[in-house]
Amino acid sequence: MKIINLVKSSRRLLGRSSVINLCRHIASQGNTQHHKVLVSKSLNIYENLALEDWLYENTDFNKETILLLWHNSPCVVFGRHQNPWIECNVPYCEKFGVDLVRRKSGGGTVYHDEGNLNCSFMMKQSLYNRRRNLQLVVDALTYKWNTPLSINDRDDILLLDKYKISGTASKLGRNKTYHHFTLLYNVDTLRLKSILHSNLDGTISNATRSIPAPVMNLVDLVPDIDFSSLVNVISERFVEDTESSVVEYVDPADKSAFPGINKHLAELKAWNWIFAKTPPFSISRTFQNEFSRTITFLEVSLDVTKGKIHNLDLKVTPPTMIDSKVFIALSVGMEETQFTLNEISKKLSSVKMEWITSRLYTVETHAILDWTLLCIIETVALHHGRTPSQNTDNNSEKTYLNNNESQATW
Amino acid sequence: MASCLFRVLARPQVLKFASLRAVSINSLNIQHRNIHITRTFCQKYFTEKHEWVDVPEGSNVGTVGITDYAQDKLGDVVYVQLPDVGQELEVDGEAGVLESVKAASDIYSPVTGEVTEINEVLNDTPKKINESPYDEGWLYKLTLADPQELEPLMSEEGYNEYLTTIE
């Protein structure tokens, strides 16, 4: 009753719109927000990110703040504006069933497996505070296990002030936001290191780059940490001091609980989202070989925009080694080809057929023309079994002097 | 609860908030007059969400960007995803994404219209948004579908006053 009188009198003093703003302000100051913890039962990264998307779209964040927790089977998750071919070994992942995923938040590439807890703090934008979320987790873990954790200026959580155990990313909409981060407690760090390594040379790109950091697992210091103990410790901390709280186990495949979730799932699994959203990039390589006792250089360059090849350009030195019609047929034939091994191989085969019918591919030229095709395959580096390059320099000027050894791996 | 309300009211920032709110409404009235009487110079219009749109006199093409306050809040911009030329944008609809310090922030269009040009320079130097948010760091240009959408937006003066109410 007192409050009503107060609101009435303050309305006279401040005007109606100011009172509404004042009440909103008071509401946001107290712990009137409903805090909900959702733990996903799914181990599928696409399903879990679809659930996060669904919650982001369908939750009234003026009423509640959500903490979504999950872990999933092996996958590589890269940031919204990253290039998967530069960030990780795409052919290796495809061969060994490691899911490749583009998330909607910014930041760098991470490797997940079941030994990694994902925490997503979802709330209205006025409450957005990455530091507070990270501190909550650090406090919860330190309280329970006395772990020596710190947070650096990149919002990474460090163990022993040195080893990264958590990488952060966030998405900000007009009124709502989420901040999610990884928490490595028992991941296969050997696999992590071998996967987060590009097998592509000679790229130029404006895409967001990841910053590699030494990593460590929490179990190396606290052997009894596992998924359920982490979920319990973090959930308890998140819901304490709030008037109402819930911890709920959910299944993202439950279409009655999450109507329309399949739309989000289909989007996240689409090649057009995972790969074609890659910011435009270029690849440029130089190869060397010997034909008829003449040392021959071949420069291959191409652009990839929206997941498709454009402007394939080839230059041979000395120029007399290959008929210019050969290159014209290649450039025209490869334009707009999807940047996948399957599509590129198909197009190269049809170009070869064209060479044969136009009598460019002959007994005299077949060796150098087959080598040209191999150089293109080597440039796009989409085939399995290619030895990852030891050189991580992405300078466009760099020349890759090819030899018969690297061809032999194909 | 009542005493809590008193405490909140007693905070100087709340009373400031309330009084400046009234000022910003007055400034909106001033801006109305600007539109109808003095549209003789380039004018930037500002949204509460820290976007600006610059519409020169006699033109129906607006240039859109984010404000100095917004770029400061974002931190170093590392990647800019802009709309496509020819894309139809709606007022308050998503127009792209700015990435900074691991955060992907959606950009919203302050007005409805068709994109005629994007700032290609930002592809190579996204930091222009931080260095020059009102000039070299513009995002895109569009033809205004409805110039009346400018009316509720703030003038530069009004926006500066608005800024003092939100911190």
Side-chain angles (χ1 to χ4, degrees), chain A residues 276-308:
Chain A
K277 283 282 176 194
T278 301
F281 68 106
S282 304
I283 317 175
S284 188
R285 295 273 303 271
T286 301
F287 301 89
Q288 180 193 336
N289 211 334
E290 194 177 321
F291 296 97
S292 321
R293 295 185 186 163
T294 309
I295 302 288
T296 307
F297 293 92
L298 183 68
E299 282 176 58
V300 182
S301 66
L302 57 95
D303 302 332
V304 182
T305 307
K306 295 184 177 174
K308 286 183 174 168

Side-chain angles (χ1 to χ4, degrees), chain A residues 289 291-292 321-322 326 352 355-356 359-374:
Chain A
N289 211 334
F291 296 97
S292 321
M321 292 300 287
I322 303 177
V326 162
K352 190 170 172 177
W355 286 344
I356 293 167
R359 309 210 170 168
L360 292 163
Y361 189 89
T362 60
V363 177
E364 292 79 34
T365 63
H366 84 272
I368 195 165
L369 294 192
D370 281 339
W371 176 68
T372 303
L373 296 177
L374 279 168

Side-chain angles (χ1 to χ4, degrees), chain A residues 2-3 6-7 10 14 17-18 21-22 25-26 29 56 80-81 104-107 128 130 154-156 164 167-175 206-208 277 279-280 306, chain B residues 1-2 4-6 8-9 11 13-15 17-19 21-22 25 47 49 51 78-81 84 92-94 97-106 108-109 123-124:
Chain A
K2 275 182 188 169
I3 296 172
L6 185 66
V7 169
S10 56
L14 301 171
S17 64
S18 302
N21 281 320
L22 191 61
H25 184 76
I26 294 162
Q29 295 295 304
Y56 183 74
R80 179 171 183 138
H81 303 121
K104 295 192 172 170
S105 57
Y128 174 71
R130 300 203 302 212
R154 292 190 50 79
D155 287 346
D156 298 331
K164 182 169 171 175
T168 267
S170 52
K171 176 175 161 67
L172 286 96
R174 180 152 266 190
N175 300 311
N206 289 323
T208 310
K277 283 282 176 194
K306 295 184 177 174
Chain B
M1 189 64 194
C4 164
L5 185 59
F6 274 125
V8 171
L9 269 172
R11 283 185 202 156
Q13 70 191 54
V14 172
L15 289 175
F17 179 80
S19 62
R21 180 83 194 167
I25 290 165
T47 71
K49 296 294 179 180
E51 297 110 8
V78 295
Y79 189 83
V80 183
Q81 185 191 311
D84 294 325
D92 289 337
E94 285 182 24
V97 184
L98 298 179
E99 179 165 342
S100 59
V101 282
K102 305 180 184 183
S105 303
D106 290 332
Y108 298 89
S109 189
N123 289 334
D124 288 327

Side-chain angles (χ1 to χ4, degrees), chain B residues 76-88:
Chain B
D76 287 352
V77 177
V78 295
Y79 189 83
V80 183
Q81 185 191 311
L82 294 172
D84 294 325
V85 171
Q87 196 176 326
E88 299 277 350

Side-chain angles (χ1 to χ4, degrees), chain B residues 121-146:
Chain B
V121 171
L122 300 177
N123 289 334
D124 288 327
T125 47
K127 260 207 105 185
K128 286 270 182 245
I129 292 177
N130 299 105
E131 292 162 357
S132 175
Y134 294 119
D135 188 18
E136 289 177 65
W138 63 276
L139 300 173
Y140 59 89
K141 297 182 188 217
L142 80 176
T143 49
L144 270 62
D146 179 8

Side-chain angles (χ1 to χ4, degrees), chain A residues 64-131:
Chain A
E64 60 185 357
T65 293
I66 292 176
L67 170 58
L68 173 64
L69 300 169
W70 80 85
H71 63 158
N72 43 252
S73 43
C75 62
V76 173
V77 185
F78 34 89
R80 179 171 183 138
H81 303 121
Q82 287 204 292
N83 182 324
W85 297 286
I86 291 178
E87 293 300 329
C88 68
N89 191 328
V90 172
Y92 178 96
C93 292
E94 286 174 342
K95 186 173 181 181
F96 293 101
V98 175
D99 292 328
L100 287 159
V101 194
R102 183 182 299 277
R103 56 171 194 267
K104 295 192 172 170
S105 57
T109 302
V110 286
Y111 168 77
H112 293 188
D113 61 23
E114 287 177 45
N116 174 70
L117 174 72
N118 297 280
C119 306
S120 181
F121 288 80
M122 314 183 74
M123 59 192 74
K124 63 177 172 180
Q125 218 218 34
S126 58
L127 296 176
Y128 174 71
N129 183 341
R130 300 203 302 212
R131 202 77 183 180

Side-chain angles (χ1 to χ4, degrees), chain A residues 331-396:
Chain A
S331 298
V332 173
M334 295 306 286
E335 188 67 15
E336 290 273 327
T337 303
Q338 196 182 44
F339 196 67
T340 58
L341 185 62
N342 199 17
E343 288 302 310
I344 291 168
S345 303
K346 263 198 250 171
K347 288 287 182 72
L348 288 178
S349 301
S350 17
V351 169
K352 190 170 172 177
M353 285 306 294
E354 204 182 314
W355 286 344
I356 293 167
T357 47
S358 41
R359 309 210 170 168
L360 292 163
Y361 189 89
T362 60
V363 177
E364 292 79 34
T365 63
H366 84 272
I368 195 165
L369 294 192
D370 281 339
W371 176 68
T372 303
L373 296 177
L374 279 168
C375 289
I376 293 169
I377 291 290
E378 186 72 11
T379 301
V380 299
L382 291 168
H383 49 293
H384 309 306
R386 184 179 177 272
T387 319
S389 164
Q390 294 306 306
N391 191 347
T392 53
D393 180 11
N394 285 308
N395 190 334
S396 63

